Amino acid sequence: MMKILVINGPNLNFLGIREPDIYGKETYADLCDLIRSHAQKRGVTVEFFQSNHEGALVDAIQAAYGNADGIVINPAAYTHTSVALLDAVKSVGIPTVEVHISKVESREEFRQISFIRAACIATVTGRGFQGYLDAMDLLIDKKGKKA
Ligand code: DQA
């Protein structure tokens, strides 16, 4: 069975508390529940990892090597700063989709750069929690096809 690793970066454990006007009122646990039920529907296995620490996120990506068939990642603020996360995704060579809950392209200038994007097969923004499910579908439906 296909296994997808869902990685969330800094402050996403505070979903429901942090800036609800931007990120919504639902919690990180609600997000995981939503993803779990979508995984069940699509017949895939899902694993979760969340950290506020850049190196821990690098470790999680490396640990996925030989272990996961796809990665859905919301690197949060590290999107805009981290060459290490870009290099980690390139290193493992696992098909990866970048997700942002908010529509980053309509926000501040400093959110316009994404280092990780260059290593991702797709980016989903501005679709709220649904964006994670869209990202899963992109990974599932590309299986067997060439990236
Ligand atoms: C975010 C957008 C980032 O700019 C921000 O730093 C986040 C969340 C999003 O999901 O919309 O923490 O990745």
Side-chain angles (χ1 to χ4, degrees):
M1 197 184 272
M2 183 184 190
K3 191 203 279 185
I4 296 176
L5 174 63
V6 180
I7 299 178
N8 278 286
N11 303 304
L12 291 168
N13 55 321
F14 261 50
L15 283 172
I17 300 166
R18 72 177 295 209
E19 305 178 85
D21 292 349
I22 298 176
Y23 300 112
K25 291 193 173 126
E26 291 186 297
T27 66
Y28 177 69
D30 294 333
L31 174 63
C32 294
D33 285 346
L34 186 75
I35 290 170
R36 235 180 255 113
S37 77
H38 189 66
Q40 207 166 11
K41 241 182 262 166
R42 295 288 333 244
V44 300
T45 301
V46 78
E47 273 179 17
F48 299 95
F49 184 78
Q50 190 280 327
S51 178
N52 297 326
H53 302 271
E54 186 176 10
L57 295 164
V58 171
D59 288 343
I61 293 166
Q62 288 190 2
Y65 182 73
N67 229 333
D69 305 298
I71 297 174
V72 171
I73 186 165
N74 183 347
Y78 292 135
T79 307
H80 318 300
T81 62
S82 181
V83 176
L85 290 180
L86 166 67
D87 286 348
V89 172
K90 281 189 174 173
S91 298
V92 296
I94 299 168
T96 298
V97 178
E98 173 191 12
V99 175
H100 301 285
I101 295 166
S102 67
K103 198 175 175 192
V104 275
E105 60 272 30
S106 307
R107 299 183 63 194
E108 300 94 327
E109 196 60 38
F110 62 83
R111 295 187 206 276
Q112 300 314 311
I113 188 153
S114 166
F115 287 99
I116 207 166
R117 195 158 301 168
C120 294
I121 61 163
T123 298
V124 181
T125 72
R127 293 189 40 75
F129 285 9
Q130 176 65 37
Y132 290 83
L133 311 187
D134 295 346
M136 291 167 73
D137 288 341
L138 285 166
L139 290 168
I140 295 163
D141 296 334
K142 85 158 267 307
K143 256 236 129 185
K145 289 181 213 156
K146 284 217 164 133

